[in-house]
Amino acid sequence: KQEVTQIPAALSVPEGENLVLNCSFTDSAIYNLQWFRQDPGKGLTSLLLIQSSQREQTSGRLNASLDKSSGRSTLYIAASQPGDSATYLCAPEGAAGNKLTFGGGTRVLVKP
Amino acid sequence: GAGVSQSPRYKVAKRGQDVALRCDPISGHVSLFWYQQALGQGPEFLTYFQNEAQLDKSGLPSDRFFAERPEGSVSTLKIQRTQQEDSAVYLCASSLYKGEAFFGQGTRLTVV
């Protein structure tokens, strides 16, 4: 059974600092891995998807890396802004392509 | 529509009442998922459809939970004889097949 851990559980940084969010998973037989953002009371917004054959994916200030063999992914957010305050969730998709397994998320607060 | 639509957004049910939650996936998406999210936690998988076929229902917590997708598009999650522990946000997601999953805004169920 896939288990996903996200560290830290919460993070508070001043505006402009770079953010590093960690995700580890126990079963390396994944099809892909997605990072999501969730604002309070809202659904999940997809940020980045990394295929299992890829090492990293970039979108604007966001960069996600994937080391499938060691069961790790890292989300980097450069030059953080108060609008980046949210909960960030990682979710590997099983090789059968039928289930995303989520970690508990990292709650980020960027102070102006 | 442009995204995944869920209704109602909020539902208050008396304990013992039956409820039905609706999900309209993105047009043409083959895969549909239901997740349950308790306050402060990551989403937990409930069930998965590929077109009209329910291929995985391993996450449904009890036989009071039932999901269907009879024509391979709209899906309904039904909870019979609701209990207080059913209070949560229920999230629906869809994807083309394997690949990027898109989530709706969720239905917040409160059982009183």
Side-chain angles (χ1 to χ4, degrees):
Chain A
K1 179 186 173 186
Q2 181 74 278
E3 294 184 1
V4 180
T5 303
Q6 290 189 245
I7 294 173
L11 188 59
S12 179
V13 299
E15 182 176 3
E17 196 165 297
N18 296 332
L19 292 166
V20 180
L21 309 180
N22 297 298
C23 170
S24 62
F25 47 95
T26 55
D27 185 353
S28 62
I30 65 171
Y31 185 74
N32 61 43
L33 184 143
Q34 268 186 270
W35 280 93
F36 294 89
R37 168 187 173 133
Q38 186 172 35
D39 294 284
K42 305 289 187 182
L44 277 63
T45 300
S46 179
L47 296 173
L48 288 168
L49 179 145
I50 313 177
Q51 300 289 351
S52 61
S53 58
Q54 295 178 307
R55 298 284 292 182
E56 66 178 299
Q57 189 68 256
T58 298
S59 176
R61 293 184 295 111
L62 276 59
N63 174 277
S65 66
L66 174 64
D67 184 343
K68 197 176 77 162
S69 60
S70 66
R72 294 179 184 175
S73 178
T74 302
L75 178 66
Y76 302 90
I77 304 177
S80 61
Q81 304 169 359
D84 295 328
S85 298
T87 296
Y88 292 83
L89 296 151
C90 75
E93 181 175 13
N98 66 350
K99 184 187 299 185
L100 292 171
T101 302
F102 285 86
T106 295
R107 192 168 65 253
V108 171
L109 175 64
V110 180
K111 299 177 181 177
Chain B
V4 178
S5 178
Q6 292 188 245
S7 61
R9 287 293 315 280
Y10 305 93
K11 176 69 178 179
V12 178
K14 292 184 178 179
R15 192 172 53 182
Q17 187 178 359
D18 297 349
V19 298
L21 312 180
R22 177 187 168 104
C23 173
D24 268 287
I26 294 173
S27 179
H29 277 194
V30 169
S31 298
L32 185 144
F33 308 83
W34 283 98
Y35 286 82
Q36 181 189 59
Q37 186 175 26
L39 191 64
Q41 298 183 19
E44 294 281 345
F45 172 80
L46 293 177
T47 187
Y48 162 70
F49 290 85
Q50 185 176 316
N51 294 310
E52 68 279 4
Q54 189 175 20
L55 299 186
D56 187 344
K57 54 182 181 180
S58 61
L60 295 177
S62 77
D63 58 7
R64 296 186 296 103
F65 286 71
F66 172 76
E68 60 183 5
R69 194 187 185 196
E71 297 179 357
S73 56
V74 172
S75 178
T76 304
L77 176 66
K78 298 179 180 179
I79 309 173
Q80 297 177 323
R81 303 182 305 280
T82 53
Q83 301 177 4
Q84 279 195 315
E85 60 261 33
D86 299 335
S87 296
V89 175
Y90 291 85
L91 296 165
C92 176
S94 70
S95 69
L96 276 172
Y97 174 42
K98 300 183 179 184
E100 190 173 14
F102 297 88
F103 279 77
Q105 291 294 296
T107 294
R108 181 178 298 277
L109 173 65
T110 303
V111 181
V112 298

